[in-house]
Amino acid sequence: MKDYYIKNVTQDLDGKEVTLAGWVHNIRDLGGKKFLLLRDKTGIGQIVVDKSSPSFQEISDISQESVIMVKGVVKADNRAPNGVEVHAKEVKILSKAKSPLPLDVSGKVKADIDTRLKERVLDLRRQEMQSILKIQNITLKSFRETLYKEGFVEVFTPKIIASATEGGAQLFSVIYFGETAFLAQSPQLYKELLAGVVEKVFEIAPAWRAEDSDTPYHLAEFISMDVEMAFGNYEDAMKLLEKLIYNIVNSVKNEASDELKILSHNLPDVKIPIKRLTYKDAIEILQSKGYNIKFGDDIGTPESRVLYNELKEDLYFITDWPTLSRPFYTKSKDTDPNVSESFDLIYRWLEIASGSTRNHKREVLEDSLRKRGLKPENFEFFLRWFDYGMPPHTGFGMGFARLLVMLTGIHNVKEIVPFPRDKKRLVP
Ligand code: AMO
C-alpha cells in the first residue's frame, strides 16, 4: 500500500522512508541517474533512481503513463519540484503503458477535440481535466449543502417514462417489456408530485434529449440539477437559485484556487439580486439593435450575445416568457394569459437554468395541454393527483455541465463531461 500522496511529501519528511504510487508523467535519463516525474491525484513529484539502486535495471525501458509504486527516502532539495525528491530504493512496475501514446498527457502537444474524446482516458489525466473534476465535486457538495440547510429532501424519480414532458421532439425511445417507453427528458412531472408530498425536493440525475444539432452546449445525456418547492412562486425560485449560485461560486473560489489557476479562469462576481430583465425588455433591446424579432420568438445564443454586450452583466435572468413558448406545466400571469411566470438564468449568452411557477389546477393543466395540441388523457397518471389536493408550487432545472462552463471557463460541455454522449458518440 502507498502511505503518502505526493502533495504531502514535504521538506519536514527529510530522511523518512515513504511509499508512493501513481503514473510516470515524464522521464529524464542522465545515464547514471534517472529522474522520474511521478503523478498522483494530488500532484507531481520527483523520484530519483540511481544506477546503484537494484531498481535501475527494472525501469530501464519504463514508459510514460506506466503505473509504478516507489519505496524511497525523502531528500529536501530546493532545486526539485515542491522542494523535495524521493531517492528510490525499490520501484515496482504495476502496469506498463504502451509507447508511443496517442495523446500527450503533459498537454505540451495539443490535440484536437475529436482526438481528445477518442483517447479520453489519457485526456482526463491532464491537470486541466482533473481540475474540472474537482470543481465539479465542490459544486455538487455546495448545491446539496445549501438545499439541505433550506430543508430540501433529495429524491430519485423514474428515468424510464411513458410520455414527453418538455415537448414532443427529442425523445429517445426504449423497448420496455415489449412496449415503447422513453428516457426521461427531465424529472419534471415526478418532482412536482413529490413536492406535493414533502414540499421541498431536489434531484441530481441524468436526463436525455435526442438533440439533433451539434453545438458546444448540447448533450444527448446531461446531468440535470432539479429543484421543486410547494407554496411558492417563480420569485421564490429565483431567490433560491441566486443563493445556490452565490454559494457555489464562493465555494469554488475558496476551495479550488489551484484548479482555477490551472484553468486560468476568473469566476464571475455574483451580485445579489442578480439582474432581472423581462422577455419584453429583451425583445425591445434586440429590436433597437436592428434584430427582426417579435413577441413569441425564441431568444437563442446569438441574440443572448447581443444582450450580454448591452447589459455587461455576467449573470442575468430573463423573466416572463410568452406562455406558449414554455411547456404546459408553466403558469401564466393572472394579469396577462399570454405571459408566463417563468425565467431563464443566463451566464453571458448561455442559458444555465430555467424555471417557473407551475399550474396546480387540473382544469388549467388540461386546457394548457390542449392549447399545445396534447391530449390530457395521455397525462392522466399525472393529472389525477391534482384531484387530491396539490399546493401551488415552483421550481427550476439547471444543466450541470452548463453551470460548469461558468465555473471552469471551458466553453464546450463535451470537454467538461468525462464521457459525453452526442449524435456522433456512444463510445468511449
Ligand atoms: P429546460 O428544458 O430549459 O427546462 O432544461 C433545464 C436546463 O437543462 C440544461 N439543458 C441541457 N444541458 C445540456 N445538454 C442539453 N441537451 C440540455 N438541455 C437542457 C440547460 C437548461 O437550462 N423541466 C424544466 C426545468 C424546470 O422548469 O424545472 C426543463 O427541463 O441548462
Side-chain angles (χ1 to χ4, degrees):
M1 252 322 259
K2 61 173 170 176
D3 54 13
Y4 275 89
Y5 282 108
I6 286 161
K7 195 177 91 185
N8 303 329
V9 179
T10 56
Q11 293 198 342
D12 315 344
L13 298 182
D14 191 38
K16 192 174 158 41
E17 192 174 286
V18 294
T19 304
L20 303 172
W23 292 258
V24 176
H25 192 68
N26 203 359
I27 308 155
R28 256 190 319 139
D29 197 340
L30 300 187
K33 259 186 197 170
K34 269 192 209 288
F35 288 93
L36 303 182
L37 286 183
L38 182 68
R39 188 185 71 241
D40 69 10
K41 68 169 192 160
T42 66
I44 296 173
Q46 182 154 288
I47 312 291
V48 186
V49 192
D50 199 84
K51 209 170 190 160
S52 60
S53 156
S55 300
F56 196 77
Q57 204 47 42
E58 164 103 11
I59 60 157
S60 61
D61 62 347
I62 186 89
S63 50
Q64 263 180 297
E65 293 307 310
S66 292
V67 179
I68 59 171
M69 186 172 269
V70 182
K71 193 184 273 181
V73 177
V74 178
K75 204 166 162 238
D77 186 330
N78 288 331
R79 290 166 305 177
N82 324 328
V84 280
E85 52 191 23
V86 171
H87 286 246
K89 282 174 144 181
E90 198 187 316
V91 181
K92 256 194 222 147
I93 299 177
L94 305 180
S95 168
K96 193 156 180 249
K98 269 191 187 169
S99 168
L101 295 166
L103 191 117
D104 175 23
V105 173
S106 77
K108 277 185 210 123
V109 183
K110 300 267 179 260
D112 62 48
I113 183 76
D114 284 332
T115 310
R116 288 183 47 202
L117 291 176
K118 181 161 170 264
E119 308 299 344
R120 191 57 159 169
V121 175
L122 283 171
D123 184 52
L124 289 170
R125 291 182 194 172
R126 293 189 307 113
Q127 278 196 310
E128 287 86 348
M129 298 312 297
Q130 296 201 29
S131 301
I132 295 172
L133 289 171
K134 282 189 199 152
I135 291 174
Q136 191 168 302
N137 208 54
I138 294 165
T139 305
L140 288 171
K141 186 164 155 268
S142 168
F143 185 77
R144 285 201 168 97
E145 276 173 359
T146 304
L147 290 171
Y148 289 147
K149 257 190 227 143
E150 298 280 328
F152 280 78
V153 173
E154 185 162 9
V155 296
F156 299 98
T157 60
K159 299 302 161 208
I160 303 177
I161 57 168
S163 50
T165 47
E166 310 299 333
Q170 309 178 332
L171 280 171
F172 283 113
S173 52
V174 288
I175 303 302
Y176 189 68
F177 301 114
E179 283 192 33
T180 302
F182 304 101
L183 293 178
Q185 293 164 297
S186 81
Q188 186 63 36
L189 306 186
Y190 292 96
K191 70 172 177 170
E192 287 189 47
L193 296 179
L194 285 165
V197 178
V198 281
E199 301 188 29
K200 289 177 157 187
V201 296
F202 76 97
E203 180 173 22
I204 304 172
W208 292 270
R209 299 202 187 171
E211 301 281 0
D212 219 19
S213 49
D214 186 18
T215 83
Y217 302 123
H218 286 90
L219 294 161
E221 178 179 76
F222 67 98
I223 300 296
S224 184
M225 306 169 98
D226 274 272
V227 168
E228 198 69 22
M229 53 187 179
F231 305 108
N233 62 21
Y234 74 139
E235 281 294 339
D236 303 302
M238 281 190 277
K239 277 192 198 125
L240 176 64
L241 182 52
E242 278 174 339
K243 192 182 272 184
L244 285 161
I245 296 286
Y246 182 87
N247 288 349
I248 286 170
V249 167
N250 281 305
S251 302
V252 173
K253 208 175 264 171
N254 295 335
E255 295 169 43
S257 51
D258 290 347
E259 286 73 21
L260 289 168
K261 241 179 251 149
I262 289 170
L263 294 167
S264 318
H265 180 52
N266 290 322
L267 290 169
D269 201 12
V270 185
K271 287 173 255 146
I272 289 186
I274 289 174
K275 181 161 183 67
R276 284 151 170 72
L277 177 79
T278 63
Y279 169 90
K280 192 167 157 276
D281 291 340
I283 293 292
E284 277 166 18
I285 294 177
L286 291 166
Q287 284 170 341
S288 76
K289 294 278 146 198
Y291 270 73
N292 184 12
I293 192 165
K294 56 181 187 322
F295 185 88
D297 291 345
D298 191 28
I299 299 178
T301 304
E303 292 82 17
S304 301
R305 279 180 193 270
V306 175
L307 293 175
Y308 169 60
N309 287 337
E310 203 53 26
L311 299 171
K312 309 253 180 314
E313 295 276 353
D314 276 339
L315 280 163
Y316 54 97
F317 284 110
I318 302 181
T319 69
D320 302 19
W321 288 74
T323 302
L324 283 177
S325 74
R326 306 296 275 207
F328 77 93
Y329 50 79
T330 313
K331 183 183 176 297
S332 52
K333 294 197 119 178
D334 295 333
T335 48
D336 183 353
N338 296 321
V339 176
S340 64
E341 296 194 0
S342 59
F343 62 87
D344 280 359
L345 176 66
I346 318 282
Y347 168 62
R348 298 190 173 175
W349 52 83
L350 175 64
E351 174 200 322
I352 57 176
S354 121
S356 60
T357 313
R358 320 303 192 183
N359 285 321
H360 75 285
K361 299 210 165 110
R362 183 183 177 120
E363 49 304 350
V364 179
L365 279 164
E366 285 182 358
D367 188 45
S368 178
L369 281 164
R370 277 190 215 100
K371 280 201 178 110
R372 287 164 180 79
L374 299 165
K375 291 195 182 110
E377 19 330 348
N378 293 344
F379 290 83
E380 188 52 29
F381 75 94
F382 172 63
L383 297 173
R384 63 188 293 266
W385 299 107
F386 290 71
D387 291 336
Y388 302 119
M390 179 59 98
H393 54 286
T394 181
F396 56 84
M398 176 155 64
F400 187 36
R402 291 197 187 177
L403 175 63
L404 283 159
V405 167
M406 176 178 97
L407 298 170
T408 63
I410 294 181
H411 275 269
N412 186 345
V413 289
K414 289 167 201 168
E415 272 189 76
I416 290 172
V417 169
F419 299 106
R421 291 288 174 262
D422 63 18
K423 215 175 168 184
K424 291 192 296 201
R425 274 177 205 89
L426 196 50
V427 290

